[in-house]
Amino acid sequence: MANTTAVEELDIVIVGAGLTGINAAYRLQTQLPNHSYAILEARDSLGGTWDFWKYPGIRSDSTMALYGFPWRPWPYEESMAGAKAIKSYIAECAASEGIDKKIRYHHRVKAANWSSEEQKWTLQLEITCEDGVTEEKQIKAWWLLACSGYYSYDKVLPPTIPGIDKFQGQVIHPQFWDENLDYADKRIIVIGSGATAITLLPSLAEKAKQVTMLQRSPSYVLALPRKDKTVKTLSKWMPRSWAVTINWFQRMFFETVFVQFVLNFPNAGRRFVIDSMKSQLPKGFAIEKHFNPRYNPFEQRLCFCPGADFFKALHKPGVSIVTDVIDTVTSDGIIIKTGGEKIEADIIVTATGLHMEVLSSTAVTVDGKPINETMGERYVWNGCMIEGVPNAGLLTGYTAASWTPGVDVRTRNLIKVIKHQDKTGASSAAPHIPESKRASMPAGPMMTLTSTYARAAMKRMPLVAGIGPWKAGTNWVQDVWAMLFGSVKDGMKYSSGAKDKAI
């Protein structure tokens, strides 16, 4: 049964109460205190990724010194934290700034339409009440910030696994993990070689009888220290706030240099990572077969593990890696192509990829014209706005570096645009490319990963040209420079609304 309530008006609406949305809220209320805002969250709790995923061992895959909020640094020594600790941290940060009071749970944004006549967004909401009754509501907003990441919570990349219906055991995807699943003394096959599989293997190996990671192609895996004691050490000689700042810039410097080194000198980067893996693996391990990827580091995600836990698990009896193609699944295992070998299993975990989409399940239109279907034809402006979409931010972080610094600098860039509107009286701001210029612009994918799930999402991702503001930066230093010294007028069309007068 649906009820309809009155239309509410807000200046800014943030969609998503994960780390990205909480960070955007902080930046808005500190830099734009005169603008009203609310955070709409479809689920019943904040935390986003760190509340949603439940599979064993779920954790960050970058150092928390950078992944934490820049305005409230990660306070613990644990460098790559688990989901519960990260969610607790996000909740504490939100409460400390009063942001938690701005969150509206069970508010799913079903559709968003920009009206040039009204110079506002109209959001169609589905609100689930405590008694299960669903209400429909409208909110009108001047600005809309999409902070829900780039993968769907509702569906995954459909895995193509021949014979999977024959399997008599349990098949589970990490995205929909059953926390009541008892895998003690079970034989488990994890299909996949990405960050999820790398995280799962050591955790499952603690209880399972046998764990086999079955990969079609190898990945790069690099061990990072489990603890970060830099702040504790520096705090002996200086105020903790100084120590935190020094540690942040130190981590950012080394991450930026490492990523740029690997991207610019892929052969040397490849040797460095492979040599590191060799030093961690058991003696006599078939490295050439299982850890010699066909691609260069960062063409697909480079996986990290804390305290080398992934490599340590491979020293245990019953834990192994098989690099091959699946011939077929049987009632009690998987037969691989090479030699027809059978791997027996009680549980199959399909860590085979995500369904990526930048606007989640929200149907977005501009004056009635759909945007979702044409996303792959539109350019991204400074990594945070979509060509032809007024007063809307698309906030995502880096894929080849820590997520949060990218999210933060892009949020600050959006705030520059809004401040320019406040100063000039412009009611709308939309990235714009003249047709004469657009025809000759390079067109590349916003996300350059070559992973199967990333390639499958190319048409759902905006374009980059790699020139001017039409790019999505790959490192914080370049993005901060562009944010501080770039012009918010470059590639942007401002207007005063009703008169459609350019500003």
Side-chain angles (χ1 to χ4, degrees):
M1 182 178 182
N3 299 316
T4 303
T5 56
V7 177
E8 179 184 4
E9 295 202 12
L10 292 166
D11 290 338
I12 303 168
V13 164
I14 298 170
V15 181
L19 184 143
T20 304
I22 300 302
N23 185 72
Y26 174 83
R27 292 302 185 193
L28 288 177
Q29 68 183 29
T30 53
Q31 297 185 35
L32 296 170
N34 295 325
H35 286 290
S36 62
Y37 80 91
I39 303 174
L40 306 183
E41 171 56 54
R43 305 181 72 249
D44 62 0
S45 180
L46 57 64
T49 292
W50 308 111
D51 177 65
F52 176 76
W53 291 84
K54 306 295 184 183
Y55 66 81
I58 171 67
R59 55 163 174 77
S60 69
D61 59 357
S62 63
T63 174
M64 290 303 300
L66 294 178
Y67 190 81
F69 296 117
W71 41 272
R72 189 179 173 92
W74 177 252
Y76 312 110
E77 291 183 2
E78 190 174 11
S79 182
M80 298 175 71
K84 289 183 179 179
I86 297 175
K87 181 188 173 181
S88 176
Y89 162 74
I90 293 173
E92 290 172 4
C93 293
S96 71
E97 301 294 334
I99 296 170
D100 57 335
K101 296 179 176 59
K102 296 287 189 176
I103 304 173
R104 304 180 187 184
Y105 295 109
H106 296 292
H107 280 55
R108 181 180 296 276
V109 183
K110 303 292 288 184
N113 179 61
W114 169 264
S115 169
S116 294
E117 182 178 353
E118 291 186 291
Q119 293 288 285
K120 290 179 181 179
W121 287 96
T122 298
L123 309 181
Q124 304 291 340
L125 308 182
E126 181 182 272
I127 305 170
T128 304
C129 304
E130 291 183 4
D131 57 4
V133 175
T134 299
E135 294 182 353
E136 295 177 1
K137 180 181 177 180
Q138 282 190 356
I139 288 181
K140 290 187 181 292
W142 183 43
W143 264 82
L144 176 64
L145 303 188
C147 298
S148 53
Y150 55 66
Y151 71 87
S152 169
Y153 283 2
D154 303 318
K155 52 188 174 182
V156 299
L157 179 71
T160 303
I161 304 173
I164 192 67
D165 293 338
K166 302 174 187 175
F167 188 62
Q168 296 299 305
Q170 184 160 0
V171 179
I172 188 168
H173 191 286
Q175 186 163 323
F176 306 115
W177 193 272
D178 180 1
E179 291 185 277
N180 296 317
L181 176 65
D182 181 11
Y183 57 88
D185 297 321
K186 303 291 186 181
R187 299 166 301 176
I188 305 173
I189 298 176
V190 179
I191 302 175
S193 59
T196 303
I198 300 302
T199 303
L200 270 167
L201 184 136
S203 296
L204 295 176
E206 294 177 3
K207 296 181 180 179
K209 177 181 180 180
Q210 175 184 310
V211 182
T212 303
M213 192 173 92
L214 176 55
Q215 58 181 17
R216 183 172 53 189
S217 59
S219 292
Y220 294 102
V221 186
L222 199 59
L224 293 180
R226 189 175 291 276
K227 300 283 186 179
D228 180 1
K229 298 184 178 181
T230 305
V231 172
K232 181 179 180 180
T233 301
L234 290 176
S235 295
K236 295 177 181 179
W237 295 285
M238 62 182 68
R240 180 179 173 81
S241 60
W242 294 13
V244 167
T245 301
I246 291 172
N247 187 45
W248 192 93
F249 278 100
Q250 171 189 265
R251 297 290 172 186
M252 177 55 67
F253 172 79
F254 284 115
E255 180 179 271
T256 302
V257 169
F258 174 71
V259 171
Q260 294 306 308
F261 168 76
V262 171
L263 291 176
N264 289 285
F265 304 98
N267 291 334
R270 178 187 182 90
R271 287 195 301 270
F272 172 81
V273 178
I274 289 179
D275 286 346
S276 174
M277 292 192 291
K278 284 180 180 179
S279 68
Q280 305 280 352
L281 289 165
K283 187 176 182 180
F285 197 89
I287 295 171
E288 288 298 317
K289 182 176 182 180
H290 303 306
F291 288 100
N292 188 23
R294 296 187 297 268
Y295 55 89
N296 290 320
F298 292 124
E299 287 181 2
Q300 296 183 23
R301 291 187 69 175
L302 193 158
C303 302
F304 296 94
C305 61
D309 64 352
F310 173 74
F311 299 110
K312 289 175 181 177
L314 292 173
H315 286 261
K316 297 179 179 180
V319 180
S320 62
I321 294 180
V322 174
T323 304
D324 214 308
V325 177
I326 296 173
D327 181 46
T328 189
V329 179
T330 67
S331 62
D332 60 350
I334 294 177
I335 296 176
I336 60 176
K337 289 278 189 183
T338 304
E341 179 187 349
K342 181 179 179 181
I343 309 169
E344 296 184 340
D346 304 302
I347 300 170
I348 294 177
V349 180
T350 55
T352 49
L354 310 170
H355 177 83
M356 299 178 66
E357 54 183 12
V358 293
L359 295 175
S360 189
S361 57
T362 303
V364 179
T365 57
V366 173
D367 294 326
K369 296 180 180 179
I371 298 301
N372 305 65
E373 291 85 349
T374 59
M375 184 63 69
E377 302 169 9
R378 298 172 183 270
Y379 284 86
V380 65
W381 183 86
N382 282 319
C384 62
M385 292 185 74
I386 303 301
E387 176 195 0
V389 183
N391 291 17
L394 176 65
L395 296 173
T396 59
Y398 300 128
T399 57
S402 297
W403 176 269
T404 313
V407 163
D408 187 57
V409 69
R410 290 165 182 174
T411 302
R412 292 162 64 192
N413 221 343
L414 283 179
I415 289 174
K416 279 188 66 177
V417 173
I418 297 173
K419 285 184 175 180
H420 180 75
Q421 289 179 272
D422 287 342
K423 180 180 179 181
T424 60
S427 55
S428 71
H432 175 72
I433 306 172
E435 284 302 318
S436 57
K437 181 179 179 181
R438 197 178 194 281
S440 60
M441 285 178 63
M446 175 183 177
M447 188 172 293
T448 57
L449 297 177
T450 60
S451 308
T452 301
Y453 68 89
R455 291 200 306 269
M458 287 300 181
K459 292 183 179 179
R460 296 190 293 272
M461 295 290 175
L463 301 170
V464 293
I467 55 175
W470 309 108
K471 53 191 174 185
T474 58
N475 74 76
W476 181 81
V477 175
Q478 292 177 347
D479 280 355
V480 165
W481 182 269
M483 185 270 296
L484 292 175
F485 302 106
S487 172
V488 293
K489 297 180 181 179
D490 188 11
M492 190 72 69
K493 182 179 180 181
Y494 295 90
S495 72
S496 57
K499 298 178 182 179
D500 196 28
K501 181 180 178 182
I503 298 294

